[in-house]
Amino acid sequence: MEDLFAFVIGGLYATALFMMLRRSIAKLVIGLMILSNAANLLILTGGGLVRGAPPLIPDGLEQAVMPIADPLPQALILTAIVISFGVLAFAVVLIHRAYAVIGADDMNEIKSTDL
């Protein structure tokens, strides 16, 4: 199962980089979204995939009974989702403003206004 996740993560990273290298600003933002999802999936897979095991220690025991899910990757992913949503919202507003001023979605048009 983890081998499949490795290929999916690699595909997501490749797709994100491809989209981020396009000339369109909208495709850049889509690439950022895919990149954040790939990073979240990488964190989840790196933490170990345990199905049906809660991250809890039963009452009366001092150590967890194996298998147990690691709650740290889940907490990191929740934080990353909030941060990526904030970055996405900022990027969408920035793109909207740039399109209103320049009137184009092309990165070359934005470079030509620097003079």
Side-chain angles (χ1 to χ4, degrees):
M1 185 73 170
E2 291 177 357
D3 295 336
L4 176 65
F5 276 109
F7 286 114
V8 169
I9 292 168
L12 285 174
Y13 272 116
T15 304
L17 289 176
F18 177 77
M19 293 294 284
M20 291 171 65
L21 292 174
R22 301 290 94 202
R23 288 173 45 176
S24 172
I25 300 174
K27 291 180 183 175
L28 175 81
V29 172
I30 292 170
L32 282 173
M33 289 181 351
I34 294 172
L35 185 72
S36 67
N37 288 330
N40 291 340
L41 192 58
L42 180 66
I43 292 170
L44 182 67
T45 305
L49 300 173
V50 179
R51 181 177 285 190
L56 303 171
I57 299 174
D59 289 334
L61 296 177
E62 294 181 12
Q63 290 184 345
V65 178
M66 292 298 182
I68 187 170
D70 189 10
L72 182 62
Q74 297 171 14
L76 289 174
I77 291 171
L78 284 174
T79 305
I81 288 170
V82 172
I83 292 170
S84 66
F85 179 74
V87 169
L88 176 66
F90 176 73
V92 167
V93 170
L94 187 66
I95 289 171
H96 178 52
R97 180 67 181 145
Y99 187 77
V101 170
I102 297 168
D105 188 30
D106 192 7
M107 294 290 270
N108 289 338
E109 295 291 326
I110 294 173
K111 288 181 184 178
S112 66
T113 60
D114 289 341
L115 300 175

